[in-house]
């Protein structure tokens, strides 16, 4: 009993290192690529074949198809990627996942140690962040291989255990093998790890190649659980992305069950090598590549089938849910976080611009007609700000590249200024209830309104012209400062000459204070946009 326990502990220790190595590699890639992952995928996923290659390459780098499919789910959920693009990345991810098992089938114990040593040196002693992140990838790969070596050594004594041989005998039943493979992989959430364990067990000689094939099929189905979990609470398309991953592996399994029934597939695989670990790696490669080739013409049909199986979700989502605001991290998290902020800012900006427009019109025309809509939009602005605060708290624990972290904090500052702009718009509307302004004040306010329109128009300009926008905004802000001071003096003079009432004077001075502060916040926003070369409104605003 003690010997069995020692084997199990050693094997679990190896598995822990294997999974931790995969996590380190994923984190290293995320920190190395950051938000650039988004632009890379946007450029490369226009072609189906290239999309498959990209999916395979990314998966080979992170050594996990689960990590890639979770990234794709989050990208689809955040509208960074369409469902039609996602299907090809998923097919590629299934192919790229074979790289881990091909590598772990080789005798790389010395290489594994060297990779781990080089990676740890880069992490501990190199100050450049980029090299630290690359070190994380190398150390993760080395630890992954060491974990695989530990698992292989742990199972060697099992050859002499009768109970183990009895258990292995049950895997002669194809259905039991597929179900067991799926359940086991669903528990550890990594087909690479479960197939790695199968490779280790194959060295005992207790499991046949035919049984191994059915276990491989089940393990590839079981790995779909990770993407399925990631899609929970997501959009309908996020769930469909996970469904496509599941459908691909189930259909592939059905195809190969038929192939094995009519062709001596297991015999062909055993002819590829004398090493059972390499045989299993080869079987997984053939399974994935042939499946990708056979299902390549039916990618669009997989999308249609997923839409038929998962209907559109009509439930009301949280205010910023459509911007991917609930993303929880992983490979590609930087792209989702930055994109979420961009969309949230764009949404808030349009609400704020509309309220500024309505409130100034109401003051000039002495009308409260749209006050109810304005206060409703103000609630949405505050709700946006609240959800963004929570989002920042949730994502603060995630490791981002220095550039992405700075970008996120810049966006956070912009949302603060946008909220304050919304407050000032609400203040302006509240003044309407205090009575009409005198004619001179209305004329001056109309001029300030035209300057505000000109300032808001800078938000629509391309990021490449940000220097000109900043210069222009500086001139406008200085002009407004001078005008508001002059208009305040003029209003006081009108009060002395009895050309306006005391209440009109007080109200107008308060209006001018709000307007002057509005331009201060607009200037803050343009300064942030200039520093990070950011275009605030991706489409022309309604105000400009």
């Amino acid at each position: 009993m003690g010997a069995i326990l020692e084997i199990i502990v050693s094997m679990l220790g190896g598995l822990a290192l294997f999974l931790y190595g995969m996590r380190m590699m994923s984190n290293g890639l995320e920190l190395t690529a950051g938000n650039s992952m988004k632009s890379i995928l946007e450029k490369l996923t226009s072609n189906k074949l290239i999309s498959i290659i990209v999916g395979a390459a990314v998966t080979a780098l992170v050594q996990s198809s689960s990590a890639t499919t979770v990234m794709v789910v989050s990208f689809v959920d955040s509208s960074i990627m369409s469902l039609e693009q996602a299907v090809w990345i998923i097919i590629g991810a299934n192919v790229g996942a074979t790289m881990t098992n091909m590598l772990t089938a080789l005798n790389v114990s010395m290489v594994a140690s060297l990779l781990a040593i080089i990676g740890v040196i880069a992490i501990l002693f190199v100050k450049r962040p980029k090299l630290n992140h690359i070190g994380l990838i190398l150390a993760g790969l080395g630890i992954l291989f060491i974990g695989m070596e530990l698992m292989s050594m742990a199972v060697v004594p099992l050859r002499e255990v009768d109970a183990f041989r009895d258990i292995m005998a049950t895997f002669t039943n194809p259905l039991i093998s597929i179900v067991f493979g799926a359940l086991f992989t669903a528990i550890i959430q990594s087909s690479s790890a479960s197939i790695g364990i199968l490779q280790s067990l194959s060295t005992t000689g207790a499991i046949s190649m035919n049984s191994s094939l059915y276990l491989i099929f089940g393990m590839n189905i079981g790995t779909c659980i990770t993407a399925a979990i990631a899609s929970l609470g997501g959009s309908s398309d996020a769930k469909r992305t996970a469904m496509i991953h599941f459908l691909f592996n189930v259909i592939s399994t059905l195809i190969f069950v038929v192939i094995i029934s009519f062709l001596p597939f297991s015999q062909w695989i055993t002819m590829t090598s004398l090493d059972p670990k390499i045989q299993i790696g080869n079987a997984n490669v053939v399974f994935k590549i042939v499946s990708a080739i056979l299902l390549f013409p039916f990618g669009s049909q997989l999308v249609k089938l997923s839409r038929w199986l998962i209907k559109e979700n009509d439930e009301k989502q949280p205010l910023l849910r459509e911007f991917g605001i609930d993303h929880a991290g992983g490979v590609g998290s930087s792209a989702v976080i930055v994109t979420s902020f961009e969309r949230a800012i764009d949404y808030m900006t349009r609400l704020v611009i509309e309220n500024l427009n309505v409130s100034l019109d109401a003051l000039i025309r002495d009308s409260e007609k749209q006050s109810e809509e304005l206060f409703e939009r103000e609630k949405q602005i505050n709700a946006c700000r609240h959800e963004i605060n929570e989002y920042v708290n949730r994502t603060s624990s995630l490791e981002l590249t220095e550039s992405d972290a700075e970008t996120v904090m810049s966006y956070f500052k912009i949302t603060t200024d946008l909220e304050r702009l919304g407050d000032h718009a609400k203040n302006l509307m509240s003044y309407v209830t205090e009575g009409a302004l005198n004619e001179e004040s209305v004329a001056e306010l109309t001029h300030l309104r035209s300057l505000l329109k000109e300032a808001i128009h800078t938000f629509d300009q391309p990021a490449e012209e940000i220097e000109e926008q900043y210069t222009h905004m500086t001139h406008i802000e200085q002009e407004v400062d001078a005008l508001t001071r002059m208009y305040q003096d003029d209003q006081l003079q009108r009060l002395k000459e009895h050309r306006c009432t005391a209440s009109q004077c007080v109200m107008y001075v308060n209006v001018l204070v709000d307007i002057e502060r509005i331009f201060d916040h607009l200037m803050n926003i343009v300064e942030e946009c200039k520093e990070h070369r950011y275009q605030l409104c991706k489409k022309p605003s309604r105000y400009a």
Side-chain angles (χ1 to χ4, degrees):
M1 184 66 184
I4 295 293
L5 182 61
E6 184 180 344
I7 291 170
I8 292 172
V9 170
S10 298
M11 190 167 178
L12 289 176
L15 177 61
L17 287 176
F18 189 99
L19 294 173
Y20 182 66
M22 290 176 65
R23 175 62 64 86
M24 285 181 69
M25 291 183 65
S26 295
N27 290 344
L29 179 66
E30 171 64 18
L31 288 169
T32 302
N35 188 44
S36 59
M37 182 81 74
K38 170 190 168 186
S39 57
I40 291 169
L41 289 173
E42 284 176 341
K43 290 176 183 176
L44 296 179
T45 53
S46 56
N47 180 282
K48 296 176 183 178
L49 187 58
I50 293 177
S51 297
I52 291 175
I53 294 171
V54 169
V58 171
T59 304
L61 283 172
V62 300
Q63 298 287 296
S64 171
S65 61
S66 296
T68 305
T69 50
V70 168
M71 175 186 71
V72 172
V73 166
S74 64
F75 278 11
V76 171
D77 194 27
S78 304
S79 301
I80 294 175
M81 183 184 292
S82 70
L83 199 59
E84 285 73 17
Q85 290 174 309
V87 63
W88 310 112
I89 299 287
I90 289 171
I91 291 175
N94 278 275
V95 175
T98 62
M99 181 60 69
T100 306
N101 304 117
M102 289 299 293
L103 290 172
T104 53
L106 303 175
N107 185 9
V108 290
S109 54
M110 184 177 291
V111 176
S113 299
L114 286 174
L115 288 172
I117 291 168
I118 294 169
V120 169
I121 289 172
I123 293 169
L124 296 179
F125 302 110
V126 179
K127 294 182 179 180
R128 289 178 61 186
K130 205 77 173 178
L131 291 178
N132 284 158
H133 304 156
I134 293 172
L136 199 61
I137 295 172
L138 293 176
L141 185 58
I143 290 171
L144 182 150
F145 287 143
I146 292 170
M148 184 65 199
E149 189 71 16
L150 282 177
M151 286 193 291
S152 296
M153 291 189 294
V155 298
V156 170
L158 287 174
R159 297 175 184 174
E160 312 303 326
V161 179
D162 293 335
F164 170 72
R165 286 197 291 266
D166 293 338
I167 292 171
M168 290 298 102
T170 63
F171 293 142
T172 54
N173 183 304
L175 184 59
I176 291 176
S177 298
I178 292 172
V179 171
F180 179 85
L183 290 176
F184 182 74
T185 306
I187 292 169
I188 66 173
Q189 295 193 29
S190 171
S191 62
S192 295
S194 59
I195 292 174
I197 292 171
L198 179 60
Q199 286 176 307
S200 299
L201 292 174
S202 68
T203 60
T204 65
I207 186 167
S208 68
M209 174 50 63
N210 203 56
S211 298
S212 297
L213 288 173
Y214 290 111
L215 285 166
I216 289 170
F217 301 156
M219 288 167 178
N220 280 287
I221 293 173
T223 196
C224 300
I225 190 67
T226 311
I229 292 170
S231 72
L232 293 177
S235 64
S236 299
D237 274 352
K239 294 183 177 70
R240 289 167 186 150
T241 305
M243 177 58 72
I244 288 170
H245 188 212
F246 176 73
L247 290 172
F248 178 88
N249 283 288
V250 169
I251 294 171
S252 299
T253 294
L254 292 174
I255 290 172
F256 266 80
V257 167
V258 173
I259 289 174
I260 291 174
S261 299
F262 292 97
L263 297 173
F265 184 72
S266 58
Q267 294 177 25
W268 295 345
I269 292 298
T270 55
M271 293 169 60
T272 61
S273 173
L274 295 176
D275 188 338
K277 291 170 65 176
I278 294 178
Q279 290 173 6
I280 288 173
N282 291 343
N284 194 34
V285 169
V286 173
F287 171 59
K288 293 294 187 68
I289 291 178
V290 172
S291 297
I293 293 171
L294 292 176
L295 293 179
F296 177 77
F298 304 102
S300 300
Q301 281 69 32
L302 284 174
V303 172
K304 289 178 181 177
L305 182 56
S306 71
R307 286 202 169 104
W308 180 76
L309 291 170
I310 299 177
K311 306 302 181 186
E312 199 65 43
N313 184 5
D314 296 326
E315 292 181 13
K316 185 175 177 59
Q317 299 287 354
L319 189 59
L320 297 183
R321 182 66 193 80
E322 60 184 288
F323 305 133
I325 216 78
D326 286 341
H327 185 60
V331 179
S333 60
S334 291
V336 176
I337 290 168
V338 172
T339 302
S340 297
F341 264 102
E342 289 176 355
R343 290 177 177 157
I345 288 172
D346 188 85
Y347 179 66
M348 283 186 72
T349 301
R350 293 174 192 284
L351 292 174
V352 167
I353 289 172
E354 185 69 18
N355 275 8
L356 289 172
N357 183 24
V358 168
S359 61
L360 284 169
D361 279 347
L363 276 169
I364 291 168
R365 297 172 185 172
D366 187 27
S367 170
E368 298 180 60
K369 284 183 179 180
Q370 293 184 287
S371 62
E372 189 175 335
E373 291 90 340
L374 180 142
F375 290 122
E376 184 58 37
R377 281 191 293 272
E378 172 62 11
K379 289 179 183 177
Q380 290 180 307
I381 292 167
N382 290 335
C384 278
R385 174 64 174 166
H386 175 71
E387 290 189 27
I388 286 170
N389 283 345
E390 289 190 348
Y391 188 48
V392 170
N393 289 333
R394 289 203 304 273
T395 58
S396 60
S397 61
L398 300 177
E399 292 188 84
L400 302 177
T401 63
E402 186 177 346
S403 173
D404 289 339
E406 288 178 2
T407 300
V408 166
M409 290 314 299
S410 175
Y411 292 169
F412 185 62
K413 291 178 186 177
I414 289 174
T415 61
T416 303
D417 283 297
L418 286 172
E419 183 192 29
R420 295 299 298 134
L421 285 170
D423 292 339
H424 288 301
K426 182 178 69 173
N427 291 345
L428 292 177
M429 178 59 82
S430 66
Y431 296 137
V432 179
T433 60
E434 297 181 19
L437 293 168
N438 52 295
E439 289 184 13
E440 293 94 332
S441 300
V442 169
E444 292 166 357
L445 194 58
T446 301
H447 180 56
L448 290 172
R449 183 185 184 283
S450 67
L451 290 174
L452 181 62
K453 180 177 180 179
E454 195 174 340
I456 293 296
H457 185 66
T458 63
F459 290 173
D460 297 331
Q461 306 310 305
E464 294 76 19
E465 300 174 15
I466 191 65
E467 294 290 344
E468 295 176 22
Q469 296 172 40
Y470 178 75
T471 302
H472 185 53
M473 185 64 203
T474 302
H475 293 322
I476 293 174
E477 200 263 343
Q478 290 172 350
E479 183 180 356
V480 168
D481 284 347
L483 286 174
T484 51
R485 285 194 296 269
M486 184 178 73
Y487 290 163
Q488 286 176 6
D489 293 340
D490 290 347
Q491 184 74 337
L492 290 171
Q493 184 62 36
R494 287 192 285 267
L495 178 63
K496 290 177 183 178
E497 297 173 358
H498 303 290
R499 288 188 287 133
C500 71
T501 65
S503 62
Q504 286 177 324
C505 180
V506 171
M507 182 178 76
Y508 187 49
V509 169
N510 287 335
V511 167
L512 291 173
V513 169
D514 272 299
I515 289 177
E516 191 271 333
R517 288 175 180 169
I518 283 171
F519 278 87
D520 287 343
H521 288 294
L522 291 174
M523 191 70 217
N524 291 343
I525 291 171
V526 174
E527 283 178 351
E528 285 297 325
C529 291
K530 173 178 174 288
E531 185 174 347
H532 295 277
R533 307 197 66 79
Y534 174 65
Q535 181 181 347
L536 198 64
C537 292
K538 303 304 180 184
K539 299 176 184 177
S541 65
R542 294 173 60 184
Y543 189 87

